[in-house]
Structures are given as C-alpha cells and as structure tokens.
Amino acid sequence: MRILVTTASRHGSTQEIGEAVADVLAAEGHEVDRTDPEDVTAVDHYDAVVLGSAVYAGRLAITLRDLIERQGGQLAARPVWLFWSGPVGHRGRVTGEAAVPPDEVEVVARRIDAREVACFGGQLRRSELGLAERALVAMIDAEDGDHRDFEAVADWARSIAVSLRGGRPRPAVP
C-alpha cells in the first residue's frame, strides 16, 4: 500500500517520531512517502495516511491544521491515523496513565475520522527555546529531557501495518 506520513514539528523531535513510524511501515513492505504538511497538495493517491504534530498549549501545529483544512474530505475518505507529541515531565509523562488529548486533537480526529489517535512523549531542550516558549514550559513545570519512547512508537506503527493487512500478521521471511 502507498502511505503518506506527514509530520509537523517545530524543533524536530516530533519529526523524528514521524520518521520512526515511516521506517517501520516501510520495513513492513509499504511504499511510504514522507512529506511535510505544507508540501502536501493532495492525498487522493494514497491508500492510507499517518498525520503527526507537536502540540503546544493544546494546539496542533498550524501546518497540520492547514493541511486538514485543505484536504479534510479526502482524509476522511481513507484510513488515517493521527499522533501527537508534547507531554514532557511528570505532568505529561505518557507512561502509566494515558495523556488526555487536547480538545483540538479530538476535534481533528473526528473531522478526519481517524482510526486511532496516539500520544507520544516529547523532547524538551530549554536551550533551544525562544523566550515565549521558555515562559510556557516554566508555567507548566515541564522537565528537560527526551521523554519519547521509540519502542512504543514502533509498536504503534506495526499495529497500523497489521490493520492495513486486514488484521493479519506479517508473514515470516525465510
């Protein structure tokens, strides 16, 4: 199947999650296009789509929101998975209990009829943030560090591959 993986990322951390998803889907035998949301002109030639975005202050990245505005009808007409990243530190750690998706994520998921929404921890490097971003992370008491779990990302991507094969596991390679 031909799959689009498009990820909106401000500092590159969410992009790395999208790349990991794309790598797993390609390893599972799918043809995967990796394109930034602002460069997607149409999705009608894809069999499935994986959308990803960093979430800041409860909002998806503008480039992903714009893509959904432009292609919402076409996205809803095919299998779509959505992931978001951003929780960092003790208040947003995704291990244990699941992070509550911001309202905007739920609205977007319904609009595009996403099959599944996943949340992955983010990465925070205060030294790379602008003044406004540093003020925001100070308000929420976010912890510096890499809170991403790439094993969970790979498991999620494999579950997408299984779903696209109609629930059948990948045949073993001799």
Side-chain angles (χ1 to χ4, degrees), residues 84 86-95 97-101 119 121-122 126 135-144 147:
W84 60 285
V88 291
H90 68 280
R91 291 188 183 172
R93 195 170 304 273
V94 183
T95 56
E97 52 185 81
V100 175
C119 173
R126 278 190 172 82
L136 178 62
V137 298
M139 284 189 326
I140 62 171
D141 193 25
E143 295 176 12
D144 253 14
H147 305 275

Side-chain angles (χ1 to χ4, degrees), residues 58-82:
R59 302 279 320 236
L60 294 165
I62 186 73
T63 56
L64 191 75
R65 293 191 323 255
D66 286 348
L67 169 62
I68 291 164
E69 185 65 31
R70 291 188 320 269
Q71 297 290 320
Q74 286 293 321
L75 288 166
R78 60 200 20 80
V80 176
W81 285 262
L82 173 65

